[in-house]
Amino acid sequence: MQSAFKPLTWTHNTSIYEVNLRQYTREGNIESFRKHLPRLKEMGIHTLWFMPIQPIGKKNRKGTLGSYYSISDYTGINPEFGDETNFRQLVDEAHQKGFIVILDWVANHCSWDNIWTETHPEFFSRDEKGNFKPPFPNWEDVIHLDYQQQGLRQKMQESMLYWVQAFGIDGFRCDMAHLVALDFWKECRTAIDAFKPLFWLGEFDELEYPAYGEVFDASYSWTWMHKTEAFAREKINLKELIKVLKNYDDLGDRGMRIWFTSNHDENSWNGTEHEKYGGLAMALAVFSVTWNGIPLIYSGQEIPNHKRLRFFEKDEIEWSAHNELQDFYTTLLRLHSDHPALEGGNKEVITHTLKTSEPDKTFAYLRTHGTRAVLAILNFSGHAIPDFIIMDDRVAGSYMNVFTKEECKIEYGTSWELKGWDYRVFEK
């Protein structure tokens, strides 16, 4: 089905960096984060996604500080992070430096003491006793919003528009988007885009909820993330893993996918990418930036961060004097933003999966846009491969290794020695 919504041109080359303000610095506020803008710009980041910055509810709060996703006032700013002036200055400076700014939006639920519980109690779902209720039994700190209420739809839309008008943000990352009525998102995007066209990222997997791909520019690759973890734990083989990518490809380019090895949920609840994937983490990071779609980096992955960040408490990211993976991500993200063969959701870009001498251990692909091409070779095993060969004529040409800057000729039968979990990226 053809979508009525068209992604903005820049979205095809963007990268996303998820900002966890609470844990980012010792102060954990907007002003202290601003100091990192030059570094993130140098790193090649384009879009900054801020986890919710609104006030957090106190009633039934989990932990000392509560969840970002338990909002008590949709148009307020959490004093833990700063005030309206701080956020406006941050957005303005980010725009001056060329960043895109998107805000996390939690439409499905809010805190038990959200201001609407007093002013608009009809906005909420009720249990059999007529009381407010959480969307799921184990989400005890939030209550469910009822999108059968037209008043709620209008108020929620007005609240989202407020951030666009008052601060000039450029889009939304919509939390648990598939739990909210699809027709609301269509109405909401139509109305807000009429004021300012935005970037809309939905937290849902299009393999599970294909209809939502009609309204969002990009969606999550949850299936891929879960399958890669199963692969790392040797529960599935590489052939089964690659089949997931074909399933995504079969959806077409109606909506792009974001690819990632970590985010706030995964880090806090399931472990860091290094816990989950072990040696495979780096090759998957290369994949996330070079496959068809949009790469997502979570706060601290450039260190690298080996710590699970507590969700309801202060738990500062432990930055180092020199972030070991800063250059790694800089190389990949700049390639992604500048190279036409890495544009996401562009029908003129073709991704060729290549036959290799080690199909059970390696994954190689060539992405082309006209005469421009990027070749990625990933060893998805911990075994060294002394004589790795690509068996495909389409690779023939002169290339440069993007990490070492060494030039080389590649053709059918060219041989490499790959270390365990090795990765190579070449620009033609």
Side-chain angles (χ1 to χ4, degrees), residues 202-314:
E203 187 194 10
F204 67 95
D205 191 311
E206 203 174 351
L207 287 176
E208 298 180 29
Y209 303 95
Y212 281 75
E214 297 173 29
V215 69
F216 288 96
D217 299 317
S219 58
Y220 272 55
S221 54
W222 283 123
T223 303
W224 170 254
M225 189 211 69
H226 292 308
K227 291 294 186 181
T228 51
E229 185 173 4
F231 174 79
R233 298 179 187 278
E234 299 184 348
K235 294 181 179 179
I236 64 172
N237 60 35
L238 185 54
K239 184 177 180 180
E240 293 174 87
L241 183 61
I242 302 308
K243 184 179 178 181
V244 177
L245 297 178
K246 183 182 184 306
N247 293 338
Y248 280 118
D249 286 344
D250 289 344
L251 293 170
D253 286 327
R254 180 176 60 190
M256 291 177 281
R257 256 68 63 188
I258 62 166
W259 307 97
F260 52 91
T261 57
S262 187
N263 58 35
H264 67 273
D265 281 319
E266 287 303 304
N267 172 277
S268 294
W269 307 119
N270 298 323
T272 71
E273 64 272 29
H274 307 287
E275 284 183 72
K276 291 169 55 180
Y277 300 122
L280 182 61
M282 294 296 287
L284 286 176
V286 172
F287 168 87
S288 297
V289 184
T290 56
W291 193 253
N292 183 17
I294 299 172
L296 166 68
I297 314 298
Y298 180 48
S299 297
Q301 283 195 269
E302 64 269 39
I303 301 174
N305 175 39
H306 289 278
K307 179 171 85 167
R308 295 192 186 195
L309 302 174
R310 288 183 291 174
F311 204 75
F312 307 116
E313 310 291 343
K314 177 65 177 174

Side-chain angles (χ1 to χ4, degrees), residues 117-282:
T117 59
E118 296 290 336
T119 60
H120 295 284
E122 72 278 8
F123 286 178
F124 299 89
S125 300
R126 306 280 179 152
D127 63 17
E128 62 279 359
K129 295 180 180 180
N131 300 317
F132 299 145
K133 65 176 186 178
F136 301 103
N138 61 338
W139 293 15
E140 307 96 338
D141 60 333
V142 293
I143 50 177
H144 188 241
L145 288 157
D146 180 8
Y147 278 84
Q148 294 184 35
Q149 303 297 320
Q150 190 59 41
L152 168 63
R153 291 171 174 244
Q154 184 62 35
K155 201 71 174 176
M156 188 65 76
Q157 180 180 301
E158 290 172 359
S159 299
M160 296 178 79
L161 185 58
Y162 164 77
W163 292 92
V164 181
Q165 293 176 326
F167 301 98
I169 67 166
D170 307 295
F172 293 100
R173 178 268 184 187
C174 299
D175 182 70
M176 302 298 286
H178 62 283
L179 297 182
V180 178
L182 178 58
D183 61 339
F184 165 74
W185 290 124
K186 291 180 179 180
E187 295 168 4
C188 189
R189 177 165 186 177
T190 299
I192 296 178
D193 276 5
F195 176 79
K196 176 184 176 180
L198 301 179
F199 172 48
W200 294 79
L201 167 60
E203 187 194 10
F204 67 95
D205 191 311
E206 203 174 351
L207 287 176
E208 298 180 29
Y209 303 95
Y212 281 75
E214 297 173 29
V215 69
F216 288 96
D217 299 317
S219 58
Y220 272 55
S221 54
W222 283 123
T223 303
W224 170 254
M225 189 211 69
H226 292 308
K227 291 294 186 181
T228 51
E229 185 173 4
F231 174 79
R233 298 179 187 278
E234 299 184 348
K235 294 181 179 179
I236 64 172
N237 60 35
L238 185 54
K239 184 177 180 180
E240 293 174 87
L241 183 61
I242 302 308
K243 184 179 178 181
V244 177
L245 297 178
K246 183 182 184 306
N247 293 338
Y248 280 118
D249 286 344
D250 289 344
L251 293 170
D253 286 327
R254 180 176 60 190
M256 291 177 281
R257 256 68 63 188
I258 62 166
W259 307 97
F260 52 91
T261 57
S262 187
N263 58 35
H264 67 273
D265 281 319
E266 287 303 304
N267 172 277
S268 294
W269 307 119
N270 298 323
T272 71
E273 64 272 29
H274 307 287
E275 284 183 72
K276 291 169 55 180
Y277 300 122
L280 182 61
M282 294 296 287

